[in-house]
Amino acid sequence: MKIALRVAEWSAGFDLDRVPSEVRERACLCCLDTVGVALAGTGAPSVRAAARAFASDGAYGFWGLGQSGAHAGACFVNATAA
């Protein structure tokens, strides 16, 4: 079985209610932290260069840059910022 299918099946059957509240709260903080550092990183030259390289009429936004691109490009730009 391909890994993507295994991950999809696991995700579809995942019950968030079974996760302890402390774990959920910590996961939320980690997500907020990632978005925060990514927004702070948008001024870095490497992020600006990546945004120029991957900008298109795609539907996926580059966080804090007012630009968008294809899914893979947005993932790359946002991850570079983070």
Side-chain angles (χ1 to χ4, degrees):
M1 179 182 296
K2 294 188 179 203
I3 189 69
L5 182 58
R6 290 178 63 195
V7 170
E9 287 177 349
W10 178 84
S11 298
F14 187 76
D15 182 6
L16 191 57
D17 291 331
R18 293 181 59 194
V19 177
S21 62
E22 298 84 12
V23 174
R24 288 195 311 266
E25 290 170 12
R26 183 65 173 188
C28 286
L29 286 175
C30 289
C31 289
L32 287 172
D33 182 63
T34 299
V35 172
V37 297
L39 290 174
T42 58
S46 58
V47 176
R48 299 289 178 159
R52 283 192 304 275
F54 288 101
S56 70
D57 291 332
Y60 300 92
F62 303 165
W63 297 341
L65 295 173
Q67 295 173 281
S68 62
H71 185 256
C75 288
F76 184 82
V77 172
N78 294 334
T80 301

